[in-house]
Amino acid sequence: MSKHRRKANMKITGNQSASPAPALRQPVAPTSPDTPEPAAQTTHHLVHHYEVPDKPVVVIESSKAWVPVNLANLWSYRELLYFLVWRDIKVRYKQTMLGALWAILQPLVTMMIFTYFFGKLARIPTEGVPYPIFFYTGLLLWTYFSGAVVMGANSLLGNTNLITKVYFPRLIIPGAAVGAGLIDFAIASVLLIGLLLYYRFPVTWGYLMLLPLIVLTTLLALALAIWLAALNVRFRDVRYALPFLIQAWMFLSPIIYPSTLMPAQWRWVMILNPLTGIIEGFRAALLGKEFHWLALGYSTFVTALLLVYASYSFRRMEKHFAEII
Amino acid sequence: MKPIIKVQNLSKKFRITPGEQPGLQYDTLREAIAKAVKAPLRRWRGNHGEEGKDTLWALKDVSFEVLPGEVLGIIGPNGAGKSTLLSILSRIIEPTSGRAEIYGRVASLLEVGTGFHPDLSGRENVYLNGAVLGMKRREIEARFDEIVAFAEIERFIDTPVKRYSSGMYLRLAFVVAAHLDPEVLIVDEVLAVGDAGFQKKCLGKMDDVTRSGRTVLFVTHSVGMISQMCEHAILMKAGRVHMKGPAIEVVDYYNTMWNTLAEKRQA
């Protein structure tokens, strides 16, 4: 302690007498020791050796209305993305008894309810697929998708303290929310593997489509999450409208029923929902059925379009977040 | 020598009444729609709500330069624009006009414990907070023991921080920040944490930081801290740079300013 006091005192005397004590300074900064210090500098204790680069590292000015996403900048913040995903997961299951088991329990219990009511009682046709596996495949993807969209949409508001106090690309925040959903999805997938084994579904070439389908789901969720998150900062209406819209979307997607349940001439209406192609593609990949390539192509197209629009729209609003949140 | 921070005519305008900023500050969708309908009408009347009583220039034409290794203090009364200036230099808000260039990596410390999560343990929060402040995972790992020892919380490192005493919490938060290693450090009044003993330790740490050749921008109300830690200081008043010079002179001027103000009030 006395060491610090001595230093502090010395600093004061140094300032008052305006006489430098350069010998006591320890240059630690990135050095170029051969650059001689101009004598004038020592009058205010400058014995450092940071070589100022020619180009500024940071330029601050009022930006234009439409800015593209800076991918290099995002990439340099990948560790923060990792830590925020890790935080979301940790916090979600802190002080719970069952922990990550909740990620399985939610779709599992819903699947059991659906199997009883929509399967055993209502006898919804599922194209010969056993009810548990038909509902679980749909629910697994839907739980991931809807969770990622809802968490993502509320993510900026939930991180107000970060937004008003530190700089980093704000896209990281909804990105982390979607990433945390992906972890839950991975956990819940374990049960799917169990069901596939139990019902003896063979491994097929269709499995090759699983990864692209999961990526597509993630990108669609991400697009909606970043757009809604930015909108939510301005209009809190999003927070209230979203649960209702998400519920409606679930009934409009082929989770409880196959899209073939619609009369043939109306099936295209179902396919307008980009999730239809993805969910039925997911089932087709796992259960060895035919892919509906047109619907999948349409889903990919819509996802790409939404992603581009959402990221531009996010970037446009991003600069005002700290002021209006 | 070339400056490490160049600030040129930086200005920031705030709208005081929410909802008056075209296309920006509506609280509900309904208001936004109402505004969208009214907007052409307003334009036609030539009323843009631009200048006047609903706007405030928090910063107006602020220019200064900082040399590498310099420790610059920023003082001024409440509402002088100090925090707005730091927020802009930290890239949290954008300026309305003007430009600033920083020739080095920046770390900002606008509050202690940014991103701390109450449910996470001290250990987890050190990593999270370090990442938020821009440290790499390897850097945090390398300094972890030092951070914990400095904060004097070895025994509680795996306890959720919501069970910490406020002093322990602040100590841990400060220490993570004090172990940052950027070329430019922007600090907003965060040193007043912990008890007297720990404050002294913090001051010592800050002193090490300023001695290591780092450039520091430092906002505080504590005039004593400015004269103790800074070579130069800027006095801000009503969004403008009122005075800049050696810290001692600026502090003297600031003190006399307050004294004359107090005398006037008494008279």
Side-chain angles (χ1 to χ4, degrees), chain A residues 114 124 126-127 134-139 141-142 248-262 267 269-283 295:
Chain A
F114 281 9
I124 283 178
T126 54
E127 301 166 327
F134 180 87
F135 291 135
Y136 197 75
T137 42
L139 277 169
L141 212 61
W142 171 256
W249 198 348
M250 177 171 152
F251 289 114
L252 296 175
S253 304
I255 294 159
I256 303 169
Y257 53 91
S259 66
T260 45
L261 200 65
M262 287 286 271
R267 204 178 160 209
V269 179
M270 286 280 318
I271 290 168
L272 281 185
N273 169 5
L275 269 186
T276 303
I278 298 177
I279 291 173
E280 303 222 302
F282 191 62
R283 274 200 193 113

Side-chain angles (χ1 to χ4, degrees), chain A residues 7 10-11 48 50 53-54 57-58 60-63 79 83 90 94-95 165 167 234 319 323, chain B residues 2 4 12 26 68 90 92 94-95 99-100 102-104 124 131 137 162-163 208 211 228-229:
Chain A
K7 268 189 183 171
M10 195 198 59
K11 190 76 187 298
H48 52 79
Y50 177 65
D54 288 330
V57 178
V58 181
I60 297 157
E61 51 189 349
S62 180
S63 63
E79 275 203 352
F83 272 112
K90 277 251 171 187
K94 276 265 159 150
Q95 265 191 30
K165 295 295 176 194
Y167 165 80
R234 275 171 64 184
K319 59 188 168 208
E323 289 167 51
Chain B
K2 276 172 63 182
I4 191 165
K12 177 71 193 180
Y26 313 115
S90 309
I92 291 160
E94 268 192 6
R99 186 182 164 90
I102 303 178
Y103 294 78
E124 289 160 344
R137 190 145 54 132
K162 64 181 172 190
R163 309 210 199 291
D208 288 347
R211 273 155 201 282
Q228 192 173 338
M229 311 228 321

Side-chain angles (χ1 to χ4, degrees), chain B residues 167 170-171 191-199:
Chain B
L170 288 173
R171 283 204 308 266
L191 287 171
V193 302
D195 54 18
F198 190 74
Q199 277 198 23

Side-chain angles (χ1 to χ4, degrees), chain A residues 28-41:
Chain A
V28 184
T31 50
S32 64
D34 34 15
T35 322
E37 286 288 328
Q41 247 80 61

